[in-house]
Amino acid sequence: MAGSSHGHTPAAWTGVTIAFIGFCVSGAFMVMAQPIGFWAGLAIVVLGGVVGSAMSAMGLGQPKKSAAVAHATPTATREPATAES
C-alpha cells in the first residue's frame, strides 16, 4: 500500500486534520459533560469532510481513473484449442 500513494494529497491531509481536531474537541467536551461543545466538535468533524471534498473537487485530490483504461481490450487473443488424435 505504500507505493499506491493512497490519500497522500493536500485534500486528504487537510480533511483528516480538521476531522481529527473536531474529534478531539468533541471528546474533550464529552468528558466535561458539555453537550453543546460535543455537538460543535461533531460539526467540525463534518466540516473536515466537506473541506476535503471541496479541495478534491478543486483538483487537489487524486485524479480520477479514466473509464477507458478500466475497460481496455486485450492486445493479444488466444486461439481455440484443437483436438489432437
Side-chain angles (χ1 to χ4, degrees):
M1 184 190 297
S4 68
S5 73
H6 175 74
H8 297 282
T9 62
W13 279 102
T14 305
V16 168
T17 301
I18 293 171
F20 179 71
I21 291 169
F23 174 78
C24 291
V25 167
S26 186
F29 279 103
M30 183 176 10
V31 171
M32 292 187 291
Q34 299 292 324
I36 298 298
F38 169 77
W39 290 110
L42 287 183
I44 295 171
V45 170
V46 172
L47 178 68
V50 170
V51 168
S53 295
M55 288 179 69
S56 181
M58 291 187 312
L60 295 172
Q62 281 189 314
K64 302 284 186 217
K65 292 186 178 181
S66 173
V69 174
H71 300 289
T73 57
T75 56
T77 58
R78 297 179 66 186
E79 295 183 20
T82 58
E84 305 237 354
S85 300

